Amino acid sequence: MHYEGDIIRPPSEIDSILLQVTTGCPHNRCTFCGAYQDKSFRIKDDAVIEADILWAAERLRGMRRLFLCDGDCLSLPQARLVRLLQSIRTHLPWVTRVGTYGSAMSVGRKSDAELAELRGLGLSFVYMGVESGDDEVLRRVNKHGTAAQLIEQARRVSAAGMKLNVSVIVGLGGVEGSMRHARETGRVLSAMSPDFIGVLSLMLLPNTLLHAQCERGEFAMPDAQGLLRELREMLSATDIRSGIFLTNHASNHLPMRVRLPKDKAAALERLDAAIDGYVPIKSEWMRAL
């Protein structure tokens, strides 16, 4: 495979064919994110991508999932995405799931008919970074779009027949905005009703603007107890008809897999016990991105 730089993928794509279609992120201005600081956004040449597909066809016959890397491959022009998915179907017919990151910005640039076309060609799983449902937090961290726009585009992904996995970040509102961030994010998740919710806990990276703001005293990071209380508030405010609420990312203090709505009450009790010190939480040195 012709990989360039570090490859970013969701934890659940660990057993997937990783096909690098783009490098970097087309937005790349979020103050908390250091994932793509060393890359400019670029769509790789079709010939290179095709060569990687053919390489996978010879050597990766046992792998039934494929993930399009790096950031936001939905931002590709529709014709190129169609050709890409057709090639995957032709050369990797055993692949049963194709996933990608897709921002609200890139989804919004696709018509309903185009999303349906992509689903028909095998694109069945979209990961969308929501991060917060609080418009003030979204503005402050330079996240593209508003809560209302995030809800709208997430619903369009689901309406096209694709599975939707959204990520949110506990701690992104800082100490002062913690509970508002939690409640508003729960409200937005409820309106989206995604299939999966992946929760991360904020970790300040030295190469980010948010880290510099914290160093200058412009942002106060919640401690472990604050993050747990925020997570509890977010889960309490999340009301979806069916879905999985995951806190098993390495950045979190308390890994859980919560099937909503049936496991919600038990998960809240477990969080209460952790906040009160009766359930052990992950040590800081064990947390990672």
Side-chain angles (χ1 to χ4, degrees):
M1 291 288 200
H2 298 86
Y3 292 139
E4 299 180 22
D6 295 332
I7 301 299
I8 308 297
R9 59 149 179 87
S12 58
E13 299 290 344
I14 188 171
D15 294 322
S16 300
I17 298 170
L18 301 178
L19 181 65
Q20 192 180 34
V21 177
T22 68
T23 63
C25 169
H27 181 62
N28 204 25
R29 290 193 292 274
C30 295
T31 65
F32 57 86
C33 182
Y36 303 109
Q37 297 296 328
D38 61 340
K39 298 180 183 180
S40 296
F41 181 74
R42 177 174 61 86
I43 302 172
K44 296 176 73 173
D45 291 342
D46 285 341
V48 174
I49 298 169
E50 188 73 7
D52 285 345
I53 292 173
L54 294 175
W55 188 93
E58 292 182 4
R59 296 168 175 83
L60 303 177
R61 287 183 173 272
M63 302 177 73
R64 299 189 176 276
R65 294 183 177 184
L66 183 146
F67 183 73
L68 304 176
C69 310
D70 277 337
D72 205 357
C73 288
L74 268 182
S75 61
L76 267 68
Q78 184 73 3
R80 292 192 73 173
L81 261 178
V82 166
R83 289 198 304 271
L84 172 61
L85 293 170
Q86 288 172 335
S87 182
I88 292 169
R89 175 167 287 184
T90 297
H91 299 295
L92 308 172
W94 57 86
V95 168
T96 58
R97 188 179 98 176
V98 178
T100 183
Y101 288 122
S103 68
M105 178 172 59
S106 64
V107 174
R109 290 173 177 168
K110 303 291 185 189
S111 68
D112 291 344
E114 287 174 329
L115 291 175
E117 181 182 28
L118 298 177
R119 177 64 187 92
L121 290 170
L123 184 63
S124 57
F125 212 98
V126 173
Y127 296 83
M128 180 181 291
V130 170
E131 326 313 1
S132 178
D134 185 337
D135 280 335
E136 174 58 25
V137 173
L138 293 172
R139 183 197 62 77
R140 181 170 48 77
V141 301
N142 290 338
K143 179 74 177 179
H144 176 82
T146 65
Q149 290 168 334
L150 288 165
I151 292 169
E152 178 186 4
Q153 302 310 326
R155 286 175 170 175
R156 292 183 63 236
V157 169
S158 297
M162 302 174 188
K163 295 289 186 181
L164 178 64
N165 185 316
V166 303
S167 61
V168 295
I169 302 177
V170 173
L172 201 57
V175 171
E176 183 179 354
S178 177
M179 289 298 106
R180 186 186 70 241
H181 162 62
R183 286 189 291 271
E184 285 299 290
T185 302
R187 177 187 65 82
V188 167
L189 292 173
S190 301
M192 290 178 170
S193 199
D195 301 283
F196 298 90
I197 299 166
V199 180
L200 294 76
S201 292
L202 179 65
M203 298 188 72
L204 294 173
L205 301 177
N207 64 334
T208 62
L209 179 58
L210 189 57
H211 181 275
Q213 291 171 339
C214 186
E215 290 287 295
R216 295 195 298 266
E218 299 167 7
F219 176 84
M221 177 73 191
D223 61 12
Q225 289 297 305
L227 292 173
L228 287 172
R229 287 191 291 270
E230 185 177 310
L231 176 61
R232 190 202 187 283
E233 186 74 12
M234 186 181 295
L235 176 58
S236 178
T238 301
D239 183 15
I240 63 176
R241 59 182 180 274
S242 177
I244 306 295
F245 188 96
L246 295 162
T247 67
N248 58 357
H249 189 270
S251 62
N252 294 317
H253 290 90
L254 186 65
M256 297 187 297
R257 179 184 175 90
V258 185
R259 186 173 294 276
L260 297 176
K262 73 182 187 70
D263 296 339
K264 181 175 178 177
L268 291 173
E269 289 180 5
R270 182 169 173 79
L271 280 164
D272 285 336
I275 291 168
D276 291 338
Y278 297 112
V279 170
I281 63 173
K282 189 184 298 182
S283 300
E284 287 300 318
W285 68 269
M286 297 178 65
R287 297 174 62 222
L289 284 175

